[in-house]
Amino acid sequence: MSEAAPQPRTRFAYDTWMEAQGVPVHRGYFVPDVRTIELGRWEERGCDAAFIQLTGQEGVSEARITEIPPGEVLPPYKMAVDEVVYVVSGNGTTRVWGEGDRQDEGHTFEWNDRALFMVPPNQYRQFGNMRGDRPVRLLHYDYLPLAMSVVPDPDFFLKNDYTARGATVSDLRSRFSEARQIAGGEGLRWITGKGKGVAYWYGNLFPDMSAWDNLDSNAHRGAGGRTVRIQFAESDMSCHMSVFDAKTYKKAHRHGPGRVIVIPSGEGYSVMWLEGGERVVVPWQEAALFVPPDRWFHQHFNLGDKPARYLALHPPIQFAGYAEKVADRARDQIEYPREDPWIREHFESELAARGLSSLMPPEAYESGVDAWG
């Protein structure tokens, strides 16, 4: 009897693998608080975990949550792709070592709440909880869905004994040395054509994204915004964090899929919509997470009395989604004078419900210039 002919693949290979792990998969437009979402036992990883696949991620980026019980160390695992980790809550350690190395020859570093780091590909990594009184929650971000669309075999990425040439222990340690600032934008893997002349931070370990104050002006987005741009060492992976003033809001803009946004601090909401479509309102506070879908406009609003922060983990630069021609880029951002009146009205009503008033400068609605200059 002949074997059955192979059938066409109708789903992303990553989705099939993800759902076979037997842990919760959170979908939709946003997660209110990743510190409290439902987890399930992931036997292969020896921990409680959950996957996050929101509208706008599919086929591009992976996000997942793992929890480490008080005082415990999780079993090590290996991935063939870069993995960015954001510490949602807790204090712990990460040990990294390569195939053929002894575990005690690897590199170990500590982290605390709201730290951000990247583990290089083809390295074992092991996470431990230094506290005996509370669990750790980690947010993991990587390009595994995209990679598995090219090679639809999970074992190729998760059980491969390949060792990168020149990946020594000293090389690992150098990657996790103090991040350094690079002026001029050379090597920045973020927005094509917009990296020139800007400064960014280069490294693999950033201790506290809620306290980072080495920021540059990002006037073209409004709200007195300031930004830090980050490029991870020897990687195409990048991210940025924006900080904007209390009782103000940023301009609506849009880009490509796969960008996961997590909130290190602040209280407010974001509005997302496909041009001509219905609006989705995303409330947020620390540890909220959302993904603007592909080419959807989105706009961020600070309802607190302190500056708010959002950390955006970027997809590959090929998915930036911005117009290539400078003349067309204006269509990717809506200036305050051109926005729907509902935007301002809803913001002011939300503030009024809290006994607060908008600090948006009146001139911001009268011209396209930076009203915070």
Side-chain angles (χ1 to χ4, degrees):
M1 179 180 294
S2 61
E3 295 183 1
Q7 298 301 307
R9 181 177 292 113
T10 59
R11 311 181 67 224
F12 291 121
Y14 170 83
D15 287 356
T16 301
W17 170 81
M18 174 183 66
E19 292 174 2
Q21 305 312 303
V23 301
V25 179
H26 296 271
R27 304 187 187 273
Y29 289 108
F30 64 94
V31 174
D33 192 333
V34 294
R35 296 171 297 189
T36 59
I37 62 169
E38 177 193 4
L39 307 178
R41 188 67 180 173
W42 193 358
E43 293 298 342
E44 186 172 344
R45 295 283 171 88
C47 65
D48 290 340
F51 291 95
I52 299 172
Q53 278 290 290
L54 303 183
T55 302
Q57 275 183 267
E58 305 97 326
V60 178
S61 62
E62 174 184 69
R64 67 182 192 277
I65 299 294
T66 58
E67 185 170 274
I68 312 173
E72 291 193 15
V73 177
L74 299 185
Y77 67 92
K78 186 180 181 183
M79 295 182 68
V81 296
D82 296 330
E83 181 180 34
V84 172
V85 181
Y86 175 73
V87 182
V88 176
S89 61
N91 313 89
T93 63
T94 297
R95 187 159 191 81
V96 183
W97 69 95
E99 190 76 37
D101 294 334
R102 295 200 316 268
Q103 185 172 348
D104 60 1
E105 291 178 332
H107 177 64
T108 300
F109 57 93
E110 299 181 5
W111 36 258
N112 297 304
D113 293 318
R114 297 172 291 277
L116 177 73
F117 58 91
M118 192 200 82
V119 180
N122 303 299
Q123 305 291 325
Y124 288 101
R125 72 285 322 265
Q126 186 169 36
F127 304 108
N129 186 346
M130 294 172 61
R131 295 279 298 266
D133 59 344
R134 62 168 179 156
V136 161
R137 282 209 176 188
L138 303 177
L139 166 65
H140 306 256
Y141 177 84
D142 58 66
Y143 303 155
L144 186 59
L146 184 62
M148 287 182 60
S149 290
V150 178
V151 181
D153 179 0
D155 289 352
F156 182 85
F157 300 101
L158 303 174
K159 297 179 181 179
N160 194 327
D161 61 3
Y162 171 77
T163 300
R165 196 173 302 171
T168 64
V169 173
S170 61
D171 176 61
L172 282 174
R173 289 172 180 163
S174 67
R175 294 192 194 191
F176 288 97
S177 60
E178 184 176 359
R180 70 181 192 273
Q181 189 177 40
I182 296 180
E186 183 179 357
L188 176 61
R189 305 288 290 168
W190 185 10
I191 304 174
T192 304
K194 289 190 177 182
K196 296 179 181 178
V198 304
Y200 68 97
W201 287 86
Y202 182 80
N204 268 4
L205 176 60
F206 303 87
D208 188 349
M209 299 308 293
S210 71
W212 193 295
D213 58 3
N214 199 324
L215 307 163
D216 294 328
S217 173
N218 192 10
H220 77 288
R221 283 280 194 259
R226 288 86 67 198
T227 296
V228 57
R229 305 165 183 87
I230 290 174
Q231 176 71 37
F232 294 101
E234 299 186 36
S235 172
D236 271 8
M237 298 192 81
S238 64
C239 67
H240 76 280
M241 183 177 69
S242 285
V243 180
F244 63 112
D245 293 337
K247 294 172 275 189
T248 66
Y249 64 90
K250 304 191 74 174
K251 300 173 185 177
H253 59 285
R254 60 183 175 180
H255 46 62
R259 189 171 304 200
V260 170
I261 298 176
V262 63
I263 306 297
S265 64
E267 177 189 3
Y269 65 96
S270 295
V271 180
M272 310 189 302
W273 71 96
L274 182 64
E275 190 168 12
E278 296 292 323
R279 301 183 184 95
V280 175
V281 178
V282 178
W284 47 255
Q285 74 297 307
E286 183 179 350
L289 183 149
F290 60 101
V291 176
D294 186 23
R295 303 294 294 165
W296 281 39
F297 282 107
H298 49 284
Q299 198 161 2
H300 310 302
F301 302 79
N302 185 350
L303 295 177
D305 57 4
K306 298 178 181 178
R309 296 172 178 243
Y310 62 86
L311 174 64
L313 305 173
H314 298 167
I317 193 172
Q318 295 93 325
F319 291 87
Y322 294 95
E324 294 182 4
K325 296 180 180 179
V326 174
D328 294 335
R329 286 183 187 149
R331 296 196 67 249
D332 293 330
Q333 179 167 290
I334 301 174
E335 302 298 326
Y336 294 124
R338 295 193 298 111
E339 69 186 13
D340 188 314
W342 179 89
I343 295 293
R344 181 177 179 181
E345 293 166 3
H346 186 75
F347 178 63
E348 292 177 350
S349 69
E350 288 290 322
L351 286 173
R354 293 164 170 77
L356 303 173
S357 298
S358 173
L359 293 182
M360 292 290 292
E363 58 268 29
Y365 301 102
E366 298 168 1
S367 68
V369 301
D370 177 21
W372 286 264

